[in-house]
């Protein structure tokens, strides 16, 4: 590394108050969720803290943990060498594990501290998020929803097998619980005049989404048996009967089309075919949804454009279509080209058009809020204002169709804009983050590889028979193993140059050969650093820090204070186990039953490799009341970071020598190398006496 | 650099256990690099001492302070309040640092935590070797860059002696014979004739025999006016 680059990198060190490049997952997330942090917390079984981290950015964690398009995973650097981390599944795991998605976790009321009030029209993800932000900041917020229940397209556009209504209800209940008033079944423009909202509030937010399906200007769309996608989805979601035939063709290649197709498959023994302009690899629907649809028996007919709907006696009998040779022009603009010579007909008694959505903005008539001739809102992306300064807008009505997490990001932005407007200042929005670049090839080649945990799903044969949730959620073991795959991008190591003694220890100790000397100071390239923390725990000057490693010690000290008293009657004092959370140190019976029956005088401190522990960490444990301490290390040749076993063992020897000298005895510090046959239950039994 | 190692903790406990408020001061220079008295080792030592006091059921407050270099007055000075508040100070610096503290705070009990051993360097991570005896009159030019003052058990100037066996010193099979090393080096350099040059008895006055040594550089002194 050149001196110049080094200086630039060091100047960006977060420890000096500047920004280091962000983990790519966080930079890719529209709401910049600190996924690295919550994965690390999950890996150490600190689920409540993980949920707190998730909810800093996202008020609908159970929902997003199920349906997110997860751009974070596309950006994940583990994806360079094998499948990326299942960040979305892990988010869901936390909400399920804690009962948040079941409504068992209740959020408290935030007192209203400000006089001003805001009306939000629409209770989809953007409206809920904006309302949540504003209410938490003390404003009086009322949401107006035209449907009987809140959630917008989350409720009426996404089917129960992807997002069970109880899960949506649980999230929304907690959003509202901060002190938001919700008025459902209110059609603005009918029951309540939009002008009244402007008159009665200090700001109004339009977050109505795109709730109307677009139709197609082709012959036959007026025939019986032709439906628009959204009303069909709404009806199915509401449990209303929908008159559909047995040969159903869904026109469209987006997520709504796939959702409709999968839903209709569940209504009985129907043949469901999808026809779309795009080639299979161009379809806008998520790959994983398309794969699920195929598994469930939906047929795909790609690269075909509908020409006309044919019918008999006023009812649909089939769809005529022609080959689509190209969907987009050179500028990636929608400009489909067809081969008129190549045609096909699909017999059908039902056709569902899922070719796009539009907003319903009729309520804005005479309100002073301008709508363009093409039916779009006049909207300033910088201020989030419409043509009426008091009226703001967000969500798909401003950005077009997109992922729910994007709508949530829009909700945050709208809330920030409204607050700024009410405070008469310029809005301050979340700045985009610069993402850390890819893992250098030589480092990637030496990384420990461990496959992504598969999401358990309903058996194929059960799927098309009802609306039960298809994805069943990770087990705790799945979640722990998956979370431990995270590379901890940009968590460190950071060198405090004022303390670096240029001893070269980090250069010698790093299992990946990352540290280098730049002048007389050590430097770790964040692109290459695997955040194992070995350099930090070995550095004699304590000049190196790695995030994600230190805070567990605090928990330890708090826990031990009380434990010493609690177990006084047992005759065997507190024992502490530093337990490696990488799967290779789990042994034969790492069932959670073993921990459920854990002796009451034992506490675990979960670490991602015990070689991160300094001698003082272990001595502090004794200082704080532990009578015996044990450390689990991985089976031979299975250290996640290559050299952790040896480092740990020799560090434990050093601590034992101190314990011997003190008179406590080095035998009070035990290590267990855990192999496939090792029983954790036996270790716990042995340690408890 | 100066290389030292921590005294056995039993010895440190024996010298410190009578003090209720003990300040442990680490040093960020040589003893950090040789893993004897840097922040990492100082904190571990302090933790060990607290644990020892707890084990002995003695109530004691043991605090840690770090210092850039204990052998500079300016770096010591900011510690004055902490030192005054303590009953005793345990220094994890080399003997130089301990003496600087003792001189700055003459009324305070200043105790050494290290045995300061030699001037040398690491041969590998975790192994340090003595290389220089600080004799004040360097002869490395004639010995192939290998110091017989520091590395020969007898400090011979015209070696080897009869105790050299298979390249090892008779004192220990783990110690290389310095004169064997000198011979091999000079031979590889084609300078073996240097071995035949007689080296007369050394004047040890520039070494410790001349009393406490002092180097004065008038050109570097800060003028009084």
């Amino acid at each position: 590394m050149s001196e110049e680059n080094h200086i630039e990198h060091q100047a960006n060190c977060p420890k000096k108050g500047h920004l280091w490049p962000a983990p790519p997952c966080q930079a890719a997330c529209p709401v910049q969720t600190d996924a690295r942090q919550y994965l690390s917390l999950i890996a150490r079984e600190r689920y409540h803290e993980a949920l707190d981290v998730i909810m800093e950015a996202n008020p609908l964690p159970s929902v997003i943990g199920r349906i997110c398009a997860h751009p974070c995973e596309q950006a994940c650097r583990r994806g360079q060498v094998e499948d990326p981390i299942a960040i979305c599944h892990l988010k869901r795991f936390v909400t399920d594990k804690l009962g948040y998605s079941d409504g068992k976790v209740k959020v408290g009321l935030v007192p209203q501290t400000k006089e001003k009030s805001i009306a939000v029209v629409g209770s989809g993800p953007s409206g809920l998020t904006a309302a949540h932000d504003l209410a938490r900041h003390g404003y009086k917020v009322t949401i107006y929803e035209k449907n009987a229940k809140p959630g917008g397209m989350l409720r009426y556009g996404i089917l129960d097998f992807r997002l069970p209504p109880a899960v949506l209800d649980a999230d929304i209940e907690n959003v509202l619980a901060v002190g938001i008033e919700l008025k459902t079944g209110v059609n603005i423009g009918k029951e309540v005049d939009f002008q009244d909202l402007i008159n009665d509030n200090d700001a109004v937010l339009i977050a109505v989404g795109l709730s109307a399906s677009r139709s197609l200007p082709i012959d036959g769309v007026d025939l019986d048996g032709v439906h628009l996608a959204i009303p069909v989805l709404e009806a199915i979601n509401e449990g209303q009967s929908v008159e559909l035939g047995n040969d159903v063709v869904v026109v469209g290649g987006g997520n709504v089309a796939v959702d409709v197709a999968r839903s209709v498959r569940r209504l009985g023994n129907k043949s469901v075919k999808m026809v779309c302009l795009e080639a299979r690899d161009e379809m806008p629907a998520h790959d994983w949804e398309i794969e699920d649809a195929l598994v469930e028996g939906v047929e795909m007919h790609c690269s075909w454009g509908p020409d006309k709907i044919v019918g008999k006696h006023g009812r649909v009998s089939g769809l005529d279509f022609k080959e689509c040779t190209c969907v987009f022009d050179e500028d990636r603009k929608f400009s489909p080209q067809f081969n008129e010579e190549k045609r096909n007909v699909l017999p059908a008694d039902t056709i569902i058009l899922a070719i796009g959505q539009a907003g319903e903005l009729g309520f804005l008539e005479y309100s002073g809020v301008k709508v363009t001739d093409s039916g779009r809102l006049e909207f300033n992306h910088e201020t989030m204002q419409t043509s009426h300064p008091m009226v703001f807008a967000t969500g798909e009505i401003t950005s077009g169709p997109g992922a729910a997490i994007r709508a949530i990001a829009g909700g945050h932005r709208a809330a920030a804009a409204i607050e700024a407007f009410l405070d008469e200042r310029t809005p301050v929005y979340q700045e985009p983050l610069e993402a850390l670049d890819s893992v250098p090839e030589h480092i990637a080649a030496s990384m420990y590889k461990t496959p992504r945990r598969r999401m358990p799903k309903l058996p194929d044969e059960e799927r098309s028979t009802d609306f039960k949730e298809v994805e069943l959620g990770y087990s705790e073991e799945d979640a722990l193993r998956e979370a431990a795959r995270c590379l901890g991008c940009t968590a460190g190591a950071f060198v405090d140059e004022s303390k670096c003694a240029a001893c070269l220890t980090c250069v010698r100790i790093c299992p990946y050969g990352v540290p280098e000397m730049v002048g007389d100071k050590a430097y770790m390239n964040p692109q290459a650093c695997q955040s194992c923390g070995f350099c930090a725990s070995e550095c004699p000057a304590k000049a190196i820090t790695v995030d994600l490693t230190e805070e567990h010690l605090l928990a330890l000290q708090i826990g031990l204070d009380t434990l010493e008293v609690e177990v006084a009657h047992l005759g065997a004092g507190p024992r502490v186990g530093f337990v490696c959370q990488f799967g290779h140190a789990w042994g034969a019976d790492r069932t959670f039953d073993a921990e459920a029956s854990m002796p009451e005088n034992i506490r675990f401190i979960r670490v991602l490799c015990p070689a991160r522990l300094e001698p003082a960490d272990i001595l502090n444990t004794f200082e704080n009341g532990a009578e015996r301490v044990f450390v689990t290390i991985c089976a031979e040749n299975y250290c996640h970071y290559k050299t952790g076993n040896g480092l740990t063992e020799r560090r434990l020897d050093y601590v034992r020598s101190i314990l011997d000298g003190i008179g406590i005895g080095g035998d009070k510090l035990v290590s267990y190398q855990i192999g496939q046959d090792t029983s954790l239950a036996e270790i716990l039994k042995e340690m408890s006496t | 650099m100066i290389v030292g190692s921590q005294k056995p903790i039993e010895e440190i406990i024996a010298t410190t256990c009578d003090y209720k408020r003990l300040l442990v001061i680490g040093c960020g220079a040589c003893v950090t690099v040789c893993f004897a008295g840097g922040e990492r080792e100082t904190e571990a030592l302090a933790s060990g001492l607290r644990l020892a006091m707890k084990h002995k059921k003695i109530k004691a407050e043991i605090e840690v302070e770090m210092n850039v270099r204990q052998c500079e007055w300016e770096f010591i000075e900011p510690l004055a309040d902490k030192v005054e508040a303590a009953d005793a100070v345990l220094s994890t610096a080399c003997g130089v640092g301990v003496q600087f503290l003792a001189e700055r705070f003459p009324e305070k009990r200043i105790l050494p935590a290290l045995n300061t051993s030699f001037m040398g360097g690491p041969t590998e991570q975790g192994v340090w070797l003595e290389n220089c005896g600080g004799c004040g009159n360097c002869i490395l030019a004639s010995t192939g860059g290998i110091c017989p003052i520091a590395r020969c058990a007898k400090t011979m100037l015209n070696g080897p002696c009869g105790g050299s066996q298979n390249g090892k010193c008779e004192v220990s099979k783990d110690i290389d014979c310095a004169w064997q090393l000198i011979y091999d080096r000079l031979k590889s350099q084609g300078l073996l004739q240097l071995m035949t040059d007689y080296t007369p008895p050394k004047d040890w006055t520039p070494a410790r025999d001349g009393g406490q040594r002092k180097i004065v550089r008038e050109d570097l002194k800060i003028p009084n006016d």
Side-chain angles (χ1 to χ4, degrees):
Chain A
M1 162 154 303
S2 73
E3 190 87 25
E4 204 174 67
N5 283 346
H6 166 68
I7 288 165
E8 190 187 322
H9 270 113
Q10 289 291 11
N12 286 332
C13 177
K15 304 291 175 190
K16 294 178 182 172
H18 299 281
L19 277 180
W20 194 269
C25 53
Q26 188 178 14
C29 176
V31 295
Q32 299 182 0
T33 307
D34 191 350
R36 180 194 71 193
Q37 183 69 26
Y38 82 72
L39 296 187
S40 167
L41 290 164
I42 291 171
R44 287 175 281 161
E45 300 181 36
R46 292 163 56 180
Y47 306 130
H48 286 280
E49 291 159 85
L51 182 63
D52 288 344
V53 171
I54 293 166
M55 292 196 63
E56 274 172 27
N58 180 352
L60 301 167
S62 321
V63 170
I64 294 301
R66 282 167 166 80
I67 60 140
C68 194
H70 48 68
C72 50
E73 294 185 26
Q74 281 86 315
C76 172
R77 298 200 318 154
R78 188 167 271 282
Q80 270 182 254
V81 290
E82 53 184 346
D83 289 335
I85 316 291
I87 301 172
C88 185
H89 295 339
L90 287 165
K91 180 181 283 132
R92 171 185 167 169
F93 166 76
V94 173
T95 62
D96 288 353
K97 175 75 183 169
L98 297 179
Y100 193 92
S101 54
D102 294 337
K104 289 177 191 142
V105 178
K106 301 291 182 197
V107 168
L109 179 76
V110 177
Q112 189 188 323
T113 54
K114 291 172 179 156
E115 291 298 314
K116 292 175 177 167
S117 70
I118 298 109
V120 177
V121 184
S123 66
S126 59
L128 287 170
T129 303
H132 187 248
D133 284 358
L134 292 165
R136 287 207 307 170
H137 290 178
Y139 293 97
K140 181 177 189 303
V141 184
T142 308
I143 298 179
Y144 295 87
E145 168 58 49
K146 68 172 180 175
N147 288 306
K149 289 183 177 176
M153 287 297 279
L154 294 175
R155 185 177 301 277
Y156 297 104
I158 297 174
L159 275 298
D160 298 1
F161 57 87
R162 284 181 62 210
L163 178 58
V167 171
L168 178 61
D169 289 341
D171 273 6
I172 293 180
E173 198 178 306
N174 272 340
V175 167
L176 300 176
V178 299
I180 298 165
E181 187 181 0
L182 170 69
K183 294 185 176 179
T184 54
V186 179
N187 277 285
I188 303 298
K190 289 182 186 167
E191 287 88 357
V192 174
D193 198 74
F194 188 72
Q195 191 58 46
D196 289 341
L197 294 186
I198 295 177
N199 295 341
D200 297 344
N201 292 281
D202 298 282
V204 179
L205 176 64
I206 299 172
V208 294
L210 300 173
S211 56
S213 279
R214 289 183 194 276
S215 186
L216 265 177
I218 57 172
D219 289 347
V221 288
D222 299 327
L223 290 166
D224 281 349
V226 178
H227 299 269
L228 296 175
I230 299 298
V232 172
L233 284 173
E234 283 178 355
I236 294 173
N237 253 326
E238 287 288 88
Q240 296 164 0
S241 68
V242 195
E243 211 172 292
L244 301 174
N246 291 323
D247 282 324
V248 180
V249 171
V250 177
V251 179
N255 286 317
V256 171
V258 176
D259 272 355
V260 173
R262 294 180 68 191
S263 304
V264 173
R265 273 294 289 167
R266 286 165 164 78
L267 293 177
N269 192 20
K270 296 181 192 300
S271 149
V272 181
K273 303 178 179 74
M274 287 179 64
V275 174
C276 63
L277 293 172
E278 297 87 356
R280 168 72 178 80
D281 58 359
E282 291 175 326
M283 285 173 69
H286 301 315
D287 271 350
W288 56 93
E289 291 230 39
I290 297 169
E291 279 159 23
D292 276 338
L294 290 168
V295 166
E296 291 162 14
V298 173
E299 274 183 37
M300 300 277 170
H301 296 263
C302 299
S303 298
W304 294 101
D307 193 32
K308 62 181 175 188
I309 299 170
V310 290
K312 265 185 198 167
H313 313 301
R315 184 166 181 91
V316 169
S317 63
L319 177 69
D320 255 16
F321 46 87
K322 54 192 174 182
E323 186 187 25
C324 177
T325 53
C326 180
V327 182
F328 302 102
D329 65 12
E330 287 174 355
D331 299 327
R332 293 295 298 167
K333 282 190 182 147
F334 183 71
S335 172
Q337 304 294 312
F338 298 99
N339 174 6
E340 300 289 341
E341 306 299 315
K342 193 170 174 186
R343 292 174 165 273
N344 205 345
V345 182
L346 273 181
D349 54 21
T350 304
I351 289 176
I352 302 173
L353 300 175
I355 53 134
Q357 289 104 258
E360 291 178 305
L361 295 171
F363 65 88
L364 293 175
E365 209 172 0
Y366 313 120
S367 68
V369 177
K370 289 183 189 161
V371 178
T372 65
D373 291 344
S374 59
R376 292 173 187 276
L377 265 183
E378 269 195 25
F379 175 70
N380 180 335
H381 281 274
E382 195 41 51
T383 64
M384 306 294 280
Q385 282 165 309
T386 62
S387 57
H388 189 304
M390 268 179 68
V391 180
F392 295 75
T394 188
E396 290 189 327
I397 196 72
T398 62
S399 61
I405 193 68
R406 262 181 63 199
I408 289 178
H412 287 310
R413 190 173 164 94
I418 291 170
E419 273 205 86
F421 168 74
L422 297 176
D423 293 349
E424 296 179 15
R425 59 175 167 79
T426 309
V428 179
Y429 302 126
Q430 202 166 42
E431 292 286 330
L433 295 173
E434 181 198 344
L436 183 68
D437 220 334
S438 56
V439 184
E441 273 180 31
H442 69 284
I443 301 285
S446 66
M447 270 162 44
Y448 194 92
K449 293 178 186 60
T450 168
R452 175 176 165 126
R453 305 294 284 192
R454 291 201 171 278
M455 167 59 82
K457 293 186 179 183
L458 269 187
D460 296 353
E461 62 275 13
E462 283 181 36
R463 288 214 215 159
S464 51
T465 55
D466 62 26
F467 283 80
K468 274 197 290 196
E469 190 169 18
V470 170
E471 295 189 338
L472 301 175
Y474 272 163
S475 68
E476 189 161 15
E477 178 176 346
D478 284 330
L480 294 180
R481 287 185 185 270
E482 186 60 29
R485 297 175 69 229
C486 177
L487 300 182
C489 302
T490 75
F494 305 108
V495 178
D496 178 345
E497 291 196 350
S498 68
K499 292 173 84 175
C500 176
C503 68
L504 297 163
T505 298
C506 53
V507 176
R508 294 169 186 152
I509 212 89
C510 176
Y512 303 95
V514 173
E516 56 189 311
M517 295 304 293
V518 178
D520 62 349
K521 301 296 174 194
Y523 169 70
M524 288 70 160
N525 179 354
Q527 242 179 289
C529 179
Q530 299 296 292
S531 311
C532 67
F534 294 179
C535 57
S537 55
E538 200 76 4
C539 175
K542 293 194 75 165
I544 304 172
T545 50
V546 177
D547 285 356
L548 316 174
T549 60
E550 293 154 329
E551 69 273 55
H552 61 274
L553 299 167
L554 187 65
L556 155 75
Q557 287 157 21
I558 292 164
L560 277 177
D561 284 350
T562 51
L563 186 62
E564 213 173 350
V565 180
E566 282 168 22
V567 301
H569 65 284
L570 292 177
R575 277 86 165 105
V576 172
F578 286 100
V579 178
C580 179
Q581 287 293 96
F582 286 117
H584 330 296
W586 281 13
D589 61 349
R590 178 61 154 84
T591 63
F592 296 89
D593 295 340
E595 286 175 44
S597 59
M598 190 149 70
E600 56 184 311
N601 61 339
I602 295 186
R603 290 287 182 276
F604 278 1
I605 306 297
R606 302 168 197 286
V607 292
L608 289 165
C609 193
R612 286 178 165 178
L613 297 169
E614 294 175 31
D617 294 335
I618 298 164
L619 288 165
N620 283 339
T621 317
F622 283 102
E623 252 191 84
N624 284 286
E627 212 174 72
R628 295 179 73 191
V629 172
F630 67 102
V631 179
T632 68
I633 59 173
C634 291
E636 209 171 338
N637 300 324
Y638 278 96
C639 175
H640 192 89
Y641 295 123
K642 297 186 190 184
T643 58
N645 286 2
L647 282 176
T648 305
E649 284 289 17
R650 70 159 168 68
R651 216 168 285 157
L652 295 184
D653 282 342
Y654 172 65
V655 177
R656 283 186 193 110
S657 73
I658 294 175
L659 294 172
D660 277 335
I662 292 168
I664 285 177
D667 59 343
K668 298 290 190 297
L669 174 61
V670 188
S671 67
Y672 291 99
Q673 190 166 53
I674 313 267
Q676 292 288 322
D677 304 326
T678 319
S679 162
L680 190 65
E682 278 176 27
I683 292 173
L684 292 177
K685 195 173 162 194
E686 191 179 311
M687 284 304 303
S688 68
T689 55
Chain B
M1 66 177 175
I2 292 172
V3 180
S5 58
Q6 220 169 74
K7 286 175 173 290
I9 193 154
E10 299 92 322
E11 184 184 334
I12 299 174
I13 292 168
T15 55
T16 56
C17 65
D18 292 337
Y19 301 102
K20 304 288 179 216
R21 286 171 301 170
L22 183 68
L23 180 65
V24 188
I25 304 180
C27 177
C30 307
V31 293
T32 289
V33 180
C34 70
F35 285 75
E39 189 167 337
R40 178 184 184 269
E41 319 304 318
T42 306
E43 283 192 355
L45 173 62
S47 181
L49 290 176
R50 282 192 292 265
L51 190 54
M53 295 303 122
K54 188 176 176 184
H55 189 59
K56 289 174 183 286
K57 304 198 186 313
I58 297 171
K59 277 203 166 181
E61 289 173 30
I62 300 171
E63 267 192 78
V64 170
E65 280 293 327
M66 280 308 296
N67 193 269
V68 178
R69 284 200 308 276
Q70 276 184 35
C71 53
E72 298 283 2
W73 302 120
E74 290 89 339
F75 287 134
I76 292 175
E77 200 50 44
L79 296 172
D81 289 347
K82 294 260 183 187
V83 172
E84 297 301 345
D87 295 330
V89 173
L90 177 67
S91 165
T92 62
C94 67
V96 183
V98 176
Q99 291 182 67
F100 264 60
L101 283 177
E103 192 157 339
R104 168 61 185 81
F105 306 107
E107 73 293 352
K108 197 64 66 179
R109 190 97 162 93
I110 308 289
L111 303 163
L114 304 193
N115 291 322
T116 308
S117 304
F118 52 77
M119 287 181 278
T123 54
E124 61 181 281
Q125 187 70 7
V127 179
W128 293 266
L129 198 63
E130 181 176 14
N131 292 98
C132 178
C135 69
N137 188 2
C138 190
I139 58 168
L140 286 169
S142 58
T143 57
I146 293 161
C147 177
I149 311 292
R151 299 171 70 169
C152 171
K154 294 177 178 169
T155 320
M156 293 192 73
L157 296 173
N158 298 285
C161 71
S164 178
Q165 299 291 325
N166 301 320
K168 297 294 178 187
C169 175
E170 65 181 330
V171 169
S172 164
K173 61 179 171 39
D174 293 329
I175 300 173
D176 290 326
C177 169
W179 278 103
Q180 179 73 50
L181 296 175
I182 292 167
Y183 174 85
D184 293 342
R185 175 78 50 81
L186 292 177
K187 189 179 176 188
S188 72
Q189 293 177 344
L191 294 170
L192 261 186
Q193 79 280 0
L194 288 176
M195 292 282 289
T196 63
D197 292 345
Y198 169 68
T199 305
K202 190 172 170 67
D203 173 9
W204 292 100
T205 311
R208 284 201 311 280
D209 296 33
Q212 185 184 19
R213 287 169 285 176
K214 188 177 193 177
I215 293 172
V216 179
R217 282 280 302 273
E218 292 296 344
D219 59 316
L220 297 180
K221 284 188 166 180
I222 311 289
N224 286 330
D225 50 57

